[in-house]
Amino acid sequence: MARQSGVVKIEGSLDDLTFKKTIDGYQVGLKPRSKKAAFKTGESYARTRENAAEFGRAGTSGKVLRRAVQELSRTAKDQRVISRLVARMMEIIRKDAINSRGERNVYDGPVELLKDFEFNAAAVFGQTVSIHPAVSIDRALGLLEVSIGSFVPANVIKKPQGATHYKLASLGAEVNFQGESYITDVHESAMLPIDQQDSRPLVFSNQVTTNSGHPLFVLLGIQFFQMVNGQQYPLNNGAFNALTILEVSPA
């Protein structure tokens, strides 16, 4: 740091120079290089830049998927679903065997790792409903089906206190992670009582684009309701509702 000489002493900055008063007098020096500039070009920040780029892609991919399934997830999600989904997306990105570090992404990774993802960790679907749905995916027809055999609701549904009825819903999604777009189709059952009567078999047929070149997702969820004076009310703002990704078909 050089000393300032002359009658007029300066404090502040001018172009690439900084002027300041210290215990050793008035001094002048070069502006410190901004951390932002160093981050963009500095060799020591190379790994950090790569990690940041991939983390950003994980966040974007998670956002696209959340938007695709929001018709069901808005009533069946926990407060940490975003961070949990980003963590799963990062796992997929790290397993991308095509691109170099810093360029890896979700659509070139094993998206099937999203299978069994629970949108509400406090209400895991398989622990809430003890059924075994069958899933079929026909890419040529763009048909995503979920078939559920007959069951006794009171025996297989772990109902929360106050719940009298339930509704099952299925969502089929075609997700373009590169283009940040999606196509979805949702079907749901009627409002059904949680009783000892055998339910009717259910088949949910969700339609997406035929011969799609994008990953396909099949989701299944359950929502709980309470009947009061002949009217149905959602139970506890969806705190006990469950939603899971049953199956994933990579592109």
Side-chain angles (χ1 to χ4, degrees), residues 148 166-170 187-192 202 204 221 223:
I148 302 172
Y166 72 98
K167 182 188 292 185
L168 290 170
S170 175
H187 294 275
E188 59 185 25
S189 70
M191 195 83 66
L192 302 169
L202 293 170
F204 299 108
Q223 303 170 37

Side-chain angles (χ1 to χ4, degrees), residues 49-122:
R49 288 195 299 272
E50 292 167 356
N51 292 337
E54 294 183 349
F55 184 80
R57 292 190 196 101
T60 298
S61 295
K63 185 177 182 179
V64 173
L65 183 59
R66 293 199 319 275
R67 285 179 173 176
V69 305
Q70 63 185 344
E71 187 169 347
L72 295 186
S73 67
R74 67 172 180 263
T75 59
K77 61 183 179 181
D78 60 54
Q79 294 182 342
R80 295 184 178 179
V81 66
I82 295 177
S83 60
R84 292 192 299 105
L85 187 54
V86 169
R88 188 71 66 92
M89 292 296 186
M90 280 301 299
E91 183 181 353
I92 293 169
I93 285 175
R94 293 192 183 104
K95 292 182 183 295
D96 172 1
I98 297 175
N99 300 288
S100 58
R101 182 168 174 167
E103 300 297 326
R104 295 176 297 185
N105 53 69
V106 169
Y107 48 86
D108 285 325
V111 294
E112 58 269 27
L113 292 179
L114 286 165
K115 181 179 178 180
D116 299 327
F117 182 83
E118 299 286 343
F119 286 84
N120 185 0

Side-chain angles (χ1 to χ4, degrees), residues 77-237:
K77 61 183 179 181
D78 60 54
Q79 294 182 342
R80 295 184 178 179
V81 66
I82 295 177
S83 60
R84 292 192 299 105
L85 187 54
V86 169
R88 188 71 66 92
M89 292 296 186
M90 280 301 299
E91 183 181 353
I92 293 169
I93 285 175
R94 293 192 183 104
K95 292 182 183 295
D96 172 1
I98 297 175
N99 300 288
S100 58
R101 182 168 174 167
E103 300 297 326
R104 295 176 297 185
N105 53 69
V106 169
Y107 48 86
D108 285 325
V111 294
E112 58 269 27
L113 292 179
L114 286 165
K115 181 179 178 180
D116 299 327
F117 182 83
E118 299 286 343
F119 286 84
N120 185 0
V124 175
F125 186 87
Q127 297 175 3
T128 305
V129 192
S130 301
I131 57 177
H132 303 284
V135 181
S136 67
I137 297 177
D138 189 327
R139 278 189 168 271
L141 296 177
L143 189 61
L144 316 178
E145 285 194 341
V146 178
S147 301
I148 302 172
S150 178
F151 60 87
V152 178
N155 293 345
V156 304
I157 295 177
K158 183 181 179 181
K159 71 170 187 174
Q161 185 175 1
T164 60
H165 289 70
Y166 72 98
K167 182 188 292 185
L168 290 170
S170 175
L171 181 147
E174 170 192 347
V175 181
N176 179 353
F177 288 109
Q178 277 181 292
E180 299 181 21
S181 61
Y182 52 85
I183 294 172
T184 60
D185 189 25
V186 178
H187 294 275
E188 59 185 25
S189 70
M191 195 83 66
L192 302 169
I194 305 175
D195 58 17
Q196 293 287 344
Q197 302 297 315
D198 286 341
S199 69
R200 292 182 178 181
L202 293 170
V203 177
F204 299 108
S205 298
N206 305 298
Q207 185 71 53
V208 294
T209 305
T210 58
N211 296 307
S212 172
H214 303 298
L216 304 179
F217 298 84
V218 182
L219 288 80
L220 185 63
I222 185 169
Q223 303 170 37
F224 290 103
F225 301 85
Q226 184 180 63
M227 179 176 285
V228 179
N229 296 328
Q231 293 191 24
Q232 299 289 355
Y233 296 89
L235 197 67
N236 283 344
N237 298 318

